[in-house]
Amino acid sequence: MNNIKVWMLACLMLPLAFSACNNNSNKEPKEEPKKEISHDLAYWELKGPVKTCDEVEFDSVGRMIRLGDYNPFVINEPYREVDEEGYMEEFSQWQRNEAGEISAIVGIEGMSMFTWKDGKVVHSEGYQEGSVYAADYEYDAKGHLVKLTEYLADELEAEKGGEMPMWATTQYNYLDIDNHGNWIRRQVTRTYPDSDIFEDYEETREITYFK
């Protein structure tokens, strides 16, 4: 699964039925409540009645209930296990804030924290194995992530008040959008300002929906 990075409590509101009781033409019609987008789905850049997206599974109201072989919200702390091939696999603990937004991912030797605005992740920061990092997210008018700017620094340098230099920028170009408005194929262009390294590749994902 690509960029298992990861951006939730859902509450889908049904429109209220309204019927006139008299012929008063001056009476203002009631506005239908808007359907709220699940924070869990928004973290994964998804919307609609999504059931699965690659290895991520959701319930009928858009709440994430499975990541691979486990539910990361129900464990008390991160842990590691040796898989069938003898490799060490880490299971991180995920957390939600009071608003139901995914706020942190806690690993054995690191942690990522997320800042939300207008129903989307706009900033993340954390630390891992002696380094500190941060990222800023930019979206287009349709809510698709179009740019990710990442910063990286040595943890000791950051503690001394040093600046966190830009590490990489990633641009996303959407090639295939399904009937629910979710991307299933996009072009990724990643550049590193301080080097000649350049990456250009496609990302795809498989999405299933509740009927």
Side-chain angles (χ1 to χ4, degrees):
M1 179 173 58
N2 292 321
N3 296 331
I4 291 300
K5 342 182 238 148
V6 177
W7 181 148
M8 305 164 201
L9 178 64
C11 181
L12 298 178
M13 300 177 65
L14 295 175
L16 297 176
F18 175 78
S19 59
C21 296
N22 53 50
N23 294 323
N24 184 358
S25 60
N26 295 324
K27 189 171 184 179
E28 293 292 332
K30 291 184 179 180
E31 293 185 0
E32 293 184 351
K34 296 181 179 179
K35 290 184 179 181
E36 296 184 1
I37 298 175
S38 158
H39 297 306
D40 287 11
L41 290 176
Y43 174 87
W44 293 103
E45 302 172 56
L46 293 165
K47 57 186 176 180
V50 176
K51 184 176 182 180
T52 64
C53 179
D54 293 332
E55 297 180 2
V56 188
E57 182 179 351
F58 304 88
D59 63 17
S60 60
V61 294
R63 191 175 177 88
M64 179 178 162
I65 57 174
R66 204 104 186 132
L67 177 61
D69 296 327
Y70 80 119
N71 185 336
F73 294 102
V74 300
I75 62 175
N76 294 323
E77 59 184 16
Y79 63 95
R80 289 174 176 158
E81 287 184 350
V82 178
D83 63 19
E84 296 178 354
E85 298 179 355
Y87 294 101
M88 187 68 70
E89 184 176 4
E90 181 167 318
F91 297 83
S92 300
Q93 180 206 38
W94 291 39
Q95 300 174 358
R96 297 185 180 94
N97 58 24
E98 293 181 355
E101 301 161 338
I102 293 176
S103 57
I105 299 176
V106 182
I108 298 293
E109 298 179 0
M111 179 178 183
S112 296
M113 295 159 286
F114 303 94
T115 301
W116 290 71
K117 183 179 180 180
D118 299 329
K120 300 180 183 65
V121 175
V122 295
H123 180 78
S124 64
E125 57 187 59
Y127 61 90
Q128 179 73 36
E129 298 180 350
S131 297
V132 293
Y133 55 86
D136 292 318
Y137 304 69
E138 298 179 28
Y139 300 86
D140 64 14
K142 295 182 179 180
H144 294 139
L145 177 66
V146 292
K147 185 177 181 181
L148 181 69
T149 304
E150 298 172 271
Y151 306 86
L152 181 68
D154 180 87
E155 188 172 9
L156 294 178
E157 290 297 323
E159 290 178 353
K160 295 177 182 179
E163 293 185 0
M164 188 180 297
M166 183 186 298
W167 178 56
T169 60
T170 306
Q171 302 276 353
Y172 299 92
N173 180 37
Y174 293 86
L175 306 175
D176 201 353
I177 306 293
D178 68 13
N179 293 333
H180 293 273
N182 292 316
W183 72 266
I184 53 178
R185 188 167 67 96
R186 66 184 179 183
Q187 188 72 25
V188 181
T189 303
R190 189 177 179 86
T191 58
Y192 301 84
D194 294 333
S195 71
D196 296 329
I197 299 176
F198 177 87
E199 299 176 344
D200 194 23
Y201 56 93
E202 281 191 13
E203 286 184 340
T204 62
R205 59 183 183 176
E206 183 177 346
I207 304 172
T208 64
Y209 294 91
F210 288 99
K211 296 181 179 180

